[in-house]
Amino acid sequence: MAKISRVLGLVSSCAGLIATAGCTFDGVNSIPLPGNAVAGSGYTVTVELADAQNLVGNSPVKANNVTVGNIQRIENDGWHAKLTLAIVDDVVLPGNIGAKLSQTSVLGSQYIELSVPPTEKPTGRLAHGAVIPLARTGQYASVEEVLSALSLVLNGAGLQQVRTITGELDDAVGGREESIHSLIGNLNRFVGGLDAQRDDITRAIDSMDRLGAELAQQSTVIDRGITSIQPALDVLRGQEGKLTQMLAAVGQFGDKATGILHDSKIDLQANLANLAPTLQQLAAAGNDLPEALKIALTIPFPVTTADRGIRGDYLNLFLTLDISPQTIANKVIPSIPHNFGGLTARQAVDPLIAPAAPGNPANPDNGGPR
């Protein structure tokens, strides 16, 4: 009975100590280990970790290989783990610090390593209640991952397939390096052209979208049009044989025309060459030909004076009549036939055509003098 009383007293004392310290019992890992407890009050930091692996509570927290705290609690937060770290109060850490899940050795225990990313400079100070998000946390390769990768290498696994693929690529590329280089250059220019016309492509896609919307609104009209065109398609289907014959005849005509043009090519070239001087002379005539046509097509009144010569229902005529003795003796009298044939004054003749009229002795065709 005395031993039982002493045991109960010891349990009561431990319970009192735990209650006084304000701690909760959550398994053996909730009891601080000797040399691993945070002295004083310290401050807590929350770390979000994608995979806690085999990490347990009371595991150390290190910075620059120096233990600065321990892990108080590990919880699930959706699909990732949430750790609560207890950091020694007098340890000053940068505010942009990150966290990684590390391991002391291949078969050693795991711990959390706090460090600033190599691409950043330490800034600020890590405060109580700070949260290190998933974006700033990571992990080193675990023992399981290392062993599985080693097993993959030692057992061959997909290396033989990689070797086969490499050999086939070497056979395909061998001797075609210049073509592949030019292909890459062409692809680069093609992609560059697409990038330069990105706005035009976007505008074209938007235009196609508007066209599609308009066609969707006009679907009834389009359906009616398709229905209306069906009889015409039936007629074309019925005339399919004749259309085929017509196209075949057009093809034969094209063949004949091609043959004729081919056979007459030399003559056509010669005719064009002979036509060149005529065209050159026409070009040399310049403005003289159009000016001459103005008069030739409007004899006896040039087109430039027709509005002054003909006014309404009368005609203005300016006539110069030459009845001088020289004109009568040299032009009028010689035009009169020598043999009047009994012509009287009333039987007047046209002095312009009388010398060439049939029956005139002066006409060479009638045996007159030439």
Side-chain angles (χ1 to χ4, degrees):
M1 294 297 294
K3 292 181 179 180
I4 295 175
S5 300
R6 284 196 298 269
V7 172
L8 291 177
L10 180 59
V11 172
S12 300
S13 300
C14 290
L17 291 173
I18 294 174
T20 304
C23 299
T24 59
F25 182 74
D26 189 15
V28 178
N29 284 331
S30 64
I31 302 175
L33 299 177
N36 193 32
V38 177
S41 58
Y43 59 94
T44 58
V45 176
T46 300
V47 175
E48 296 178 351
L49 201 62
D51 186 3
Q53 296 185 9
N54 298 323
L55 188 67
V56 295
N58 279 326
S59 296
V61 177
K62 296 184 179 182
N64 296 325
N65 288 329
V66 178
T67 302
V68 296
N70 61 4
I71 300 175
Q72 284 189 344
R73 189 167 50 253
I74 301 176
E75 300 174 313
N76 289 331
D77 187 4
W79 292 97
H80 62 273
K82 184 171 68 174
L83 314 179
T84 302
L85 310 183
I87 308 298
V88 178
D89 193 29
D90 56 354
V91 174
V92 178
L93 299 173
N96 61 335
I97 202 168
K100 278 190 174 182
L101 178 60
S102 306
Q103 195 164 351
T104 56
S105 63
V106 176
L107 300 177
S109 62
Q110 293 181 321
Y111 66 95
I112 294 296
E113 176 185 348
L114 300 178
S115 61
V116 178
T119 57
E120 300 179 11
K121 294 182 179 180
T123 57
R125 179 175 178 177
L126 191 65
H128 173 71
V131 177
I132 302 178
L134 280 173
R136 304 189 66 84
T137 61
Q139 61 185 20
Y140 292 103
S142 62
V143 177
E144 293 82 357
E145 293 174 346
V146 174
L147 293 178
S148 62
L150 181 61
S151 173
L152 180 66
V153 173
L154 296 178
N155 295 331
L159 293 181
Q160 185 63 34
Q161 287 78 1
V162 173
R163 180 180 178 182
T164 303
I165 294 172
T166 305
E168 294 295 334
L169 285 176
D170 184 66
D171 294 339
V173 175
R176 302 181 179 87
E177 290 81 2
E178 295 296 332
S179 300
I180 294 176
H181 288 168
S182 62
L183 174 62
I184 294 175
N186 293 333
L187 287 176
N188 187 22
R189 287 191 294 273
F190 173 72
V191 174
L194 287 179
D195 182 70
Q197 298 185 17
R198 181 172 50 188
D199 296 337
D200 295 337
I201 296 174
T202 303
R203 186 162 53 251
I205 294 174
D206 294 337
S207 300
M208 290 295 295
D209 181 67
R210 290 193 297 271
L211 175 62
E214 185 66 24
L215 291 177
Q217 294 178 358
Q218 301 293 332
S219 59
T220 304
V221 178
I222 296 173
D223 180 70
R224 187 164 58 251
I226 294 174
T227 305
S228 302
I229 204 174
Q230 185 62 37
L233 296 178
D234 294 337
V235 173
L236 290 177
R237 188 181 300 108
Q239 300 293 329
E240 181 179 0
K242 295 182 178 180
L243 290 175
T244 304
Q245 295 177 358
M246 181 191 70
L247 293 177
V250 171
Q252 295 174 358
F253 172 76
D255 295 338
K256 296 295 183 182
T258 302
I260 293 173
L261 291 177
H262 183 269
D263 295 338
S264 62
K265 178 176 64 175
I266 298 176
D267 297 336
L268 181 61
Q269 291 177 348
N271 293 334
L272 292 177
N274 296 331
L275 186 61
T278 304
L279 296 178
Q280 291 175 355
Q281 294 300 324
L282 287 176
N287 295 329
D288 296 338
L289 183 61
E291 294 297 331
L293 291 177
K294 291 182 181 179
I295 300 175
L297 297 178
T298 58
I299 291 176
F301 303 103
V303 68
T304 57
T305 60
D307 59 337
R308 297 193 297 274
I310 301 175
R311 294 180 177 275
D313 56 351
Y314 65 91
L315 175 67
N316 293 329
L317 176 63
F318 299 91
L319 177 65
T320 300
L321 182 61
D322 186 3
I323 57 175
S324 62
Q326 293 84 0
T327 302
I328 294 175
N330 298 330
K331 297 181 179 180
V332 177
I333 293 177
S335 66
I336 299 175
H338 297 285
N339 184 10
F340 288 98
L343 292 176
T344 62
R346 293 183 179 181
Q347 293 176 323
V349 296
D350 190 346
L352 297 177
I353 63 174
N360 189 348
N363 189 352
D365 294 334
N366 296 327
R370 294 183 181 272

